[in-house]
Amino acid sequence: MPRLVVETNIMTRAARARLAPRSKPYWRTITMGHHLGYRKGVAGAGAWITRRTLGGKLTEEVRLGFADDTQEADGIKILSYAQAQVASTAWLTGRITETGGLKADVPPIT
């Protein structure tokens, strides 16, 4: 049986500032088997990570970009929480390119 994800508030800069630096990300569930994570480093901005469950204990993780902890979000390399959610969902649905940009509107796979 898979472990339950411990939900941590990572939605605001203030909430992320209160978190302790650690090597494992803090996770928020987006949908069943799909999570958005925040990895806080010792210095500077943290990073957004997304993860999906492939079955059993297998997961796939991808780094989405830096968090807007110290600089304003630009939507490309520095992402706000909302932008990280959009990028995470785009990655999950295959609408994100290898360089991190969004592909042109492609209908979702059904």
Side-chain angles (χ1 to χ4, degrees):
M1 183 168 169
R3 292 186 206 170
L4 295 175
V5 174
V6 176
E7 297 286 324
T8 304
N9 184 5
I10 57 174
M11 294 183 235
T12 64
R13 286 181 183 177
R16 293 189 302 266
R18 289 189 293 270
L19 298 174
R22 66 181 197 183
S23 60
K24 291 185 177 183
Y26 293 94
W27 295 105
R28 294 286 300 182
T29 302
I30 295 177
T31 60
M32 183 75 113
H34 178 209
H35 303 92
L36 177 63
Y38 171 76
R39 181 176 290 132
K40 184 172 183 174
V42 176
W48 295 113
I49 294 96
T50 189
R51 171 180 76 184
R52 68 176 167 183
T53 304
L54 300 174
K57 293 184 179 183
L58 296 175
T59 60
E60 181 180 16
E61 289 184 13
V62 171
R63 185 177 173 278
L64 299 171
F66 291 106
D68 62 341
D69 296 336
T70 58
Q71 297 178 348
E72 290 300 316
D74 63 9
I76 300 167
K77 291 184 179 184
I78 303 171
L79 306 173
S80 67
Y81 176 77
Q83 291 168 336
Q85 279 186 310
V86 169
S88 178
T89 303
W91 171 77
L92 182 71
T93 59
R95 295 184 54 226
I96 198 162
T97 65
E98 292 77 25
T99 59
L102 290 176
K103 292 180 182 177
D105 260 356
V106 177
I109 299 171
T110 57

